[in-house]
Amino acid sequence: MKIVSPFPDANFSEHVAVSFDGQTHFLPKGTNLAAALLSAGITVFRNTPVSGAARAPYCMMGACFECLVEIDGVVRQACMMEVSEGLDIQHPQGRNSDDADL
């Protein structure tokens, strides 16, 4: 399967399977996880705990914490991680947009 990248010089030889909220994605091994997820069309990484507003990567350098995801049961910044085989990624536990009117 050919991966279409918005980056013209993206020639990745190996793609690995990762899971995001139960859906399998094939991402380029060793690349920045936040960038790879964005390239795969994932636009919501977490929701704010108070209002449930959707959040996605912003600074891409670990300063803002907008890209928090739960990886193998641990909440981490996606922009500080590399893609590796078999990652189990989920929205962090807590309030989500379905709970916003509570």
Side-chain angles (χ1 to χ4, degrees):
M1 175 170 106
K2 181 172 170 60
I3 303 296
V4 177
S5 173
F7 307 105
D9 295 328
N11 296 316
F12 303 108
S13 60
E14 184 180 1
H15 286 76
V16 294
V18 302
S19 171
F20 189 89
D21 281 345
Q23 185 176 8
T24 301
H25 297 274
F26 293 92
L27 305 178
K29 182 179 180 180
T31 61
N32 180 280
L33 179 60
L37 290 171
L38 287 170
S39 293
I42 297 171
T43 58
V44 177
F45 283 45
R46 70 178 187 96
N47 297 88
T48 61
V50 176
S51 70
R55 292 291 189 251
Y58 179 70
C59 74
M60 296 298 287
M61 63 181 191
C64 73
F65 293 86
E66 294 295 342
C67 66
L68 290 177
V69 292
E70 186 175 317
I71 301 173
D72 300 324
V74 178
V75 176
R76 301 172 182 255
Q77 292 170 278
C79 72
M80 302 302 288
M81 303 281 302
E82 286 187 359
V83 173
S84 61
E85 177 76 37
L87 290 176
D88 182 16
I89 308 163
Q90 299 179 17
H91 285 92
Q93 295 298 318
R95 279 182 71 132
N96 60 35
S97 57
D98 295 334
D99 299 329
D101 58 345
L102 293 178

